[in-house]
Amino acid sequence: MQHPATHFQPQSLPPAVRIGLAAAVALLLTGVLAVATSASHTAVRHASAQMQDTTRYVKLPPVEIVGRRAVAMDSQDDAPQARAAAASTSTPACVQPT
């Protein structure tokens, strides 16, 4: 069954409705812009607060000396022999206490 072809002409909205829709869209965009601006300023304040150079105090554990190196600095001729002797008799400096 076929419907008769009727051509409807588009109707324009009354001016009061068009002005109302334009005002609603402008108000909505203004609200979105205000929220985005506030969020941006808040993010910048948080980021700048985190980047501030503040003094931080750290409590380090006590250091224990486990060995000393004996290096002869008397003459250049004795230096290689003294270093070899010190290396063979002293405790390595990087040993951690157990």
Side-chain angles (χ1 to χ4, degrees), residues 10-59:
Q11 300 290 323
S12 65
L13 294 174
V17 174
R18 285 190 293 183
I19 291 173
L21 284 174
V25 168
L27 187 62
L28 178 69
L29 289 176
T30 303
V32 168
L33 182 65
V35 170
T37 302
S38 174
S40 174
H41 286 296
T42 302
V44 168
R45 279 194 302 271
H46 285 296
S48 65
Q50 288 179 351
M51 287 188 287
Q52 279 183 344
D53 188 22
T54 58
T55 303
R56 294 187 177 114
Y57 295 99
V58 179
K59 176 126 172 99

